[in-house]
Amino acid sequence: MAGQGAFSEIIDGDVFKYYADGEWKTSSSGKAVAIINPTTRKTHYKVQACTREEVNKVMETSKTAQKAWAKTPLWKRAELLHKAAAILKEHKNPIAECLVKEIAKPAKDAVTEVVRSGDLISYCAEEGVRLLGEGKFLVSDSFPGNERTKYCLSSKIPLGVVLAIPPFNYPVNLAVSKLGPALIAGNSVVLKPPTQGAVSALHMVHCFHLAGFPKGLISCVTGKGSEIGDFLTMHPAVNCISFTGGDTGIAISKKAGMIPLQMELGGKDACIVLEDADLDLAAANVVKGGFSYSGQRCTAVKVVLVMESVADALVEKINAKVAKLTVGPPEEDCDITPVVSESSANFIEGLVMDAKQKEAKFWQEYKREGNLIWPLLLDHVRPDMRIAWEEPFGPVLPVIRISSVEEGIHHCNASNFGLQGCVFTRDINKAILISDAMETGTVQINSAPARGPDHFPFQGLRDSGIGSQGITNSINMMTKIKSTVINLPAPTYSMG
């Protein structure tokens, strides 16, 4: 159960504490932020509403702790990360329960997220030891006009304080994808979890606490983004921001100043299906990619662009699979569970009503109960419909029929987003040509878009983000190069 057993110290009454300077604390604000269960639409948890003064104290202790942590041997950092990973996996069930209750993630997927997060932390430890354990040695005479009078030694050093802001849909996994690389690289971390998902994140942070990380190295502040969000992202003590979310990231990037940014801000991932595609394979991937976790994934299939000659056959296969999706509460491991909030459900409904008004073909009757929206396949969608361009983040899948590959590529590239895309064809030469033409961070061939495995590079173009994620890229991004140059009194060369 949440806040019980090994986690009893993270809750005070019915309000979960925040984490600072190695201790679980209650906020001096005396206020709490309610977390609404998407299924019941009632308050299920409460977290502290931290003040700006508490944020200032967190930043100060983070700066101090980071200086000492940077002097901690790499093997010791890795050892603590492996320990945290083991503790996280050991407590997968209570953390998974939090995911079920605060973001309506199906129970089996919630457990998978926690286990995957433990594996990610361990991989970070191993990759960090390899990556950061070596540097470069350069000699000056490789550049024209120079003798060998200079030796340059370069290595990677930490940035300082990393502000980590994960999204609601993967509040554990996308938190550790920032914490792990930051910590192995020698940084301290201030985590600002999403409101929906905050309790899951607090439980995860406690696993790091139990592992014995130094005081002040990891902090977790909770509260309303409208009250402390800008204060955090514009804080002068922050040396790097890693953010996953939506439009808020664009605003952050404009205010953050001269610090490195790592941002993933969503997508409108297109699936192009050619005439020679394996339609059974395409249909299975479209349904999995479009409706997994009720479509609330940045890498969900958001629009299908299918050649007219095979469109009828593909849509029938997709529709048959949609009919088999189970709908209901996350506790019952249903395929389709309530979306995260009433405002999200209202937004999705707005896209659906626009498509209905403009005469898209509905393969199912639109049905909604509270935050629960039944899966919906929309056919004969046109570019003048909002659903053709906007990201629903829900169980609604539009199909656009195209007359040429070029038309599909044009639609993909005309989007404000450029996260991922996919193409289904039996012709590998066509697949590579289309992949090269699609302006997205990743193109999947004969599979739905996906983030992972977690060591794969993950990035987007345009409004989909800045920089690249994946364990190796994140470690590199959270470090900077430090060079030491040895100047010799006279040229020196190895014996010939």
Side-chain angles (χ1 to χ4, degrees):
M1 294 287 288
Q4 295 184 16
F7 299 99
S8 58
E9 67 178 292
I10 77 172
I11 193 169
D12 179 24
D14 65 343
V15 184
F16 285 88
K17 301 175 184 178
Y18 76 99
Y19 187 66
D21 202 17
E23 298 176 3
W24 290 98
K25 302 181 177 185
T26 56
S27 173
S28 60
S29 71
K31 298 177 182 178
V33 178
I35 297 176
I36 308 299
N37 183 320
T39 306
T40 65
R41 292 187 290 161
K42 295 179 181 178
T43 298
H44 200 98
Y45 299 126
K46 296 177 184 176
V47 295
Q48 302 293 324
C50 292
T51 66
R52 292 187 172 191
E53 182 56 37
E54 285 160 346
V55 170
N56 279 333
K57 289 179 181 177
V58 160
M59 291 298 177
E60 195 57 42
T61 56
S62 293
K63 286 171 62 178
T64 302
Q66 189 275 323
K67 300 297 183 187
W69 181 245
K71 298 175 183 176
T72 303
L74 261 176
W75 67 265
K76 183 64 176 177
R77 296 182 209 165
E79 186 178 78
L80 285 170
L81 282 170
H82 280 301
K83 190 173 180 181
I87 294 171
L88 186 67
K89 288 184 176 181
E90 179 186 347
H91 297 291
K92 63 186 178 185
N93 290 324
I95 300 175
E97 180 197 327
C98 297
L99 292 168
V100 169
K101 299 302 183 186
E102 61 181 341
I103 64 168
K105 181 159 285 191
K108 64 179 184 299
D109 295 339
V111 172
T112 299
E113 177 175 345
V114 181
V115 173
R116 173 186 179 181
S117 299
D119 291 338
L120 191 159
I121 296 166
S122 290
Y123 196 104
C124 274
E126 295 169 11
E127 181 71 359
V129 167
R130 289 191 292 266
L131 192 65
L132 302 170
E134 61 180 34
K136 270 190 175 181
F137 173 68
L138 301 173
V139 291
S140 54
D141 67 316
S142 60
F143 195 88
N146 284 267
E147 296 284 355
R148 187 168 296 195
T149 56
K150 296 175 183 286
Y151 289 164
C152 178
L153 308 174
S154 69
S155 60
K156 295 180 174 72
I157 62 171
L159 295 175
V161 178
V162 173
L163 174 61
I165 309 176
F168 81 84
N169 55 351
Y170 290 89
V172 176
N173 184 256
L174 283 173
V176 302
S177 73
K178 305 174 190 305
L179 264 74
L183 292 170
I184 193 64
N187 300 290
S188 61
V189 181
V190 176
L191 176 66
K192 169 58 178 75
T195 299
Q196 302 287 140
V199 174
S200 306
L202 290 167
H203 281 70
M204 175 273 295
V205 168
H206 192 57
C207 294
F208 282 82
H209 171 78
L210 294 174
F213 278 83
K215 287 186 176 183
L217 188 67
I218 303 167
S219 307
C220 186
V221 294
T222 55
K224 292 184 178 180
S226 58
E227 294 178 4
I228 61 171
D230 281 353
F231 191 71
L232 278 164
T233 57
M234 298 173 69
H235 202 285
V238 172
N239 303 112
C240 171
I241 299 175
S242 179
F243 174 92
T244 305
D247 292 347
T248 303
I250 297 175
I252 291 173
S253 69
K254 293 176 179 177
K255 299 173 183 177
M258 292 286 288
I259 60 173
L261 301 176
Q262 182 185 55
M263 301 214 163
E264 191 268 282
L265 310 179
K268 184 69 177 177
D269 296 8
C271 175
I272 299 177
V273 183
L274 304 191
E275 297 102 322
D276 68 339
D278 180 333
L279 296 186
D280 289 317
L281 177 67
N285 275 273
V286 163
V287 172
K288 180 182 178 183
F291 294 102
S292 177
Y293 187 39
S294 303
Q296 296 177 111
R297 296 162 44 250
C298 294
T299 55
V301 173
K302 307 280 175 52
V303 60
V304 178
L305 303 163
V306 57
M307 295 295 289
E308 182 68 57
S309 61
V310 294
D312 287 343
L314 178 68
V315 169
E316 285 180 12
K317 290 177 183 292
I318 293 173
N319 189 53
K321 292 182 181 298
V322 170
K324 296 177 182 178
L325 295 174
T326 57
V327 182
E331 291 85 354
E332 296 178 10
D333 269 336
C334 293
D335 299 310
I336 305 296
T337 57
V339 295
V340 72
S341 66
E342 184 176 355
S343 61
S344 292
N346 290 342
F347 176 77
I348 295 163
E349 184 169 299
L351 296 179
V352 171
M353 292 301 105
D354 175 77
K356 185 173 185 179
Q357 181 184 352
K358 294 172 181 173
E359 300 182 338
K361 179 178 178 178
F362 281 54
W363 279 85
Q364 297 80 22
E365 181 182 354
Y366 174 67
K367 184 178 179 182
R368 173 185 172 187
E369 291 180 6
N371 294 344
L372 184 61
I373 296 175
W374 270 249
L376 186 60
L377 177 62
L378 301 179
D379 196 3
H380 294 284
V381 169
R382 300 188 311 272
D384 63 321
M385 299 178 188
R386 290 175 57 199
I387 193 71
W389 304 104
E390 297 182 44
E391 183 181 24
F393 235 63
V396 181
L397 184 63
V399 176
I400 297 177
R401 295 166 179 242
I402 57 175
S403 57
S404 68
V405 172
E406 290 74 20
E407 183 183 348
I409 293 170
H410 174 77
H411 185 92
C412 171
N413 294 349
S415 171
N416 289 334
F417 295 108
L419 187 60
Q420 288 205 8
C422 61
V423 55
F424 285 86
T425 175
R426 289 185 169 93
D427 187 331
I428 189 62
N429 296 317
K430 285 183 183 177
I432 295 297
L433 289 172
I434 294 169
S435 173
D436 286 345
M438 292 175 75
E439 296 172 1
T440 61
T442 301
V443 175
Q444 303 275 350
I445 296 174
N446 291 326
S447 184
R451 177 181 59 85
D454 287 313
H455 67 301
F456 278 21
F458 182 57
Q459 57 281 317
L461 307 180
R462 298 187 293 277
D463 288 353
S464 284
I466 300 171
S468 181
Q469 299 178 53
I471 291 170
T472 303
N473 287 344
S474 291
I475 292 172
N476 282 326
M477 181 266 172
M478 293 176 182
T479 61
K480 54 191 172 186
I481 301 297
K482 174 67 178 289
S483 297
T484 299
V485 178
I486 301 170
N487 291 275
L488 304 173
T492 179
Y493 295 88
S494 302
M495 293 289 290

